[in-house]
Structure formats: C-alpha cells, structure tokens
C-alpha cells in the first residue's frame, strides 16, 4: 500500500489559503482484495476565499478480484471553496478525484464510490475594502476545479461567479492487470 499526503490543492486568495488536495492510495495485490473499511481521500476546504482542494486518487488492482464490502465506501470528493471576506471573493470548489479499480472479477457497487466536486464558497461579507481581489480557483487533478468569485466595482459589493468543482471519475474495469505487477 502506498500513501501520498499531497494532492492537487486549490488556489489561494489575498488572505486565504487554498485547500490541500486529497492525496493518493495505491493497492496492488496478486490475490483477492476485500475492502471492508472505507477509503477516504477528501480535499480540504479553502480558507477566506481560497479555492477548495481536489479529491484524491485511489487505484486498486488485483490479479484475482476486488470486492467492496457493505457498508464500506470509497470517497474522493473535492472540498468547498472558502467564504468571501471584506477584501476577496469566494473560492471555487475543488474538483472530484479519480477512482480506478482493475481486476478479472469485481464486486463493487458503483453507488458506494463518490467522486463529487466541492461546492463553491459562500458569500459571507460584503466586500468593503478599497483594494479587493477575486477568490481562488478550486484545485483539480482530473477535471476542472471551480472558478473563484469576482468582485464588481464599488464598495459593499457582493462576490459573484464562484462555481462548484466538476465531478471526478470512477472507472471499474474487468481485465487482467498482470502487466502492472
């Protein structure tokens, strides 16, 4: 098993940090893989207008079979963008991650695999500073992260246009992955 603590992070804003990406999990086995505990690689939320981090990457391959036991699940959901503040727009949501399962026999319920994009940051406060910047974009490893919110001219304006991150991808393939070993 291999773990990475760094994924595809979101963009920062003037005072807000973009969220970290979800990281990665790699499981390769010659025998049967039975997943009885959940595998989670979320992005983290953006702060003060920062973009949300993208969901992570999970790759599972077996030369005999893969099963996902109920109630276990795999979740690589992107995180939400940061809330707007007095000098920056709201952050875009992080894109969903990527799940790939390869084996000759799969028993994986696709409704237990989550690859959703994160929500756009909300409008917390009217922008009241003379100098203001748009929110950070959401992170992406596979598909598009959400756009950061823009700031219309004038004081006491409300951040507009932050969007949610795109959903990621889950691919379950019935094939012999021997060439990976």
């Amino acid at each position: 098993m291999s773990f990475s603590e760094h994924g595809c992070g979101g963009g920062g804003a003037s005072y807000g940090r973009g969220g970290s990406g979800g990281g990665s999990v790699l499981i390769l086995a010659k025998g049967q893989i039975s997943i009885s505990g959940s595998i989670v690689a979320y992005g983290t939320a953006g702060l003060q207008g920062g973009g949300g981090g993208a969901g992570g990457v999970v790759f599972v391959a077996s030369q005999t079979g893969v099963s996902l036991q109920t109630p276990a699940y795999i979740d690589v959901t992107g995180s939400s963008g940061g809330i707007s503040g007095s000098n920056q727009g709201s952050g875009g949501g992080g894109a969903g991650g990527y799940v790939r399962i390869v084996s000759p026999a799969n028993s994986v319920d696709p409704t237990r695999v989550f690859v959703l994009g994160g929500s756009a940051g909300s409008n917390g406060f009217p922008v009241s500073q003379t100098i203001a910047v748009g929110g950070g974009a959401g992170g992406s490893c596979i598909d598009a992260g959400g756009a950061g919110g823009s700031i219309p001219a004038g004081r006491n304006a409300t951040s507009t246009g932050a969007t949610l991150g795109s959903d990621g991808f889950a691919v379950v393939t019935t094939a012999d992955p021997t060439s990976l070993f």
Side-chain angles (χ1 to χ4, degrees):
M1 201 179 296
S2 173
F3 296 93
S4 171
E5 60 185 79
H6 303 291
C8 302
S14 62
Y15 291 104
R17 179 178 69 78
S20 298
S24 61
V25 177
L26 171 64
I27 303 171
L28 300 174
K30 291 185 177 188
Q32 175 74 24
I33 297 172
S34 179
I35 302 170
S36 58
S38 296
I39 298 173
V40 177
Y42 303 130
T44 60
L47 302 175
Q48 297 178 334
V57 176
V58 174
F59 188 92
V60 180
S62 164
Q63 289 180 328
T64 58
V66 175
S67 64
L68 182 60
Q69 306 295 316
T70 302
Y73 57 88
I74 300 172
D75 193 340
V76 294
T77 297
S79 66
S80 61
I83 190 170
S84 67
S86 63
N87 67 336
Q88 79 274 328
S90 52
Y98 180 67
V99 175
R100 181 72 191 261
I101 298 172
V102 182
S103 76
N106 293 302
S107 177
V108 177
D109 179 355
T111 65
R112 304 205 56 74
V113 178
F114 305 99
V115 294
L116 301 173
S119 62
S122 62
N123 290 320
F125 305 96
V127 176
S128 58
Q129 302 296 318
T130 304
I131 298 175
V133 296
S140 173
C141 289
I142 299 296
D143 210 346
S150 60
I151 306 298
R155 292 185 145 226
N156 296 317
T158 301
S159 172
T160 61
T163 61
L164 57 88
S166 298
D167 290 345
F169 297 95
V171 180
V172 178
T173 304
T174 302
D176 183 359
T178 301
S179 63
L180 298 174
F181 293 87

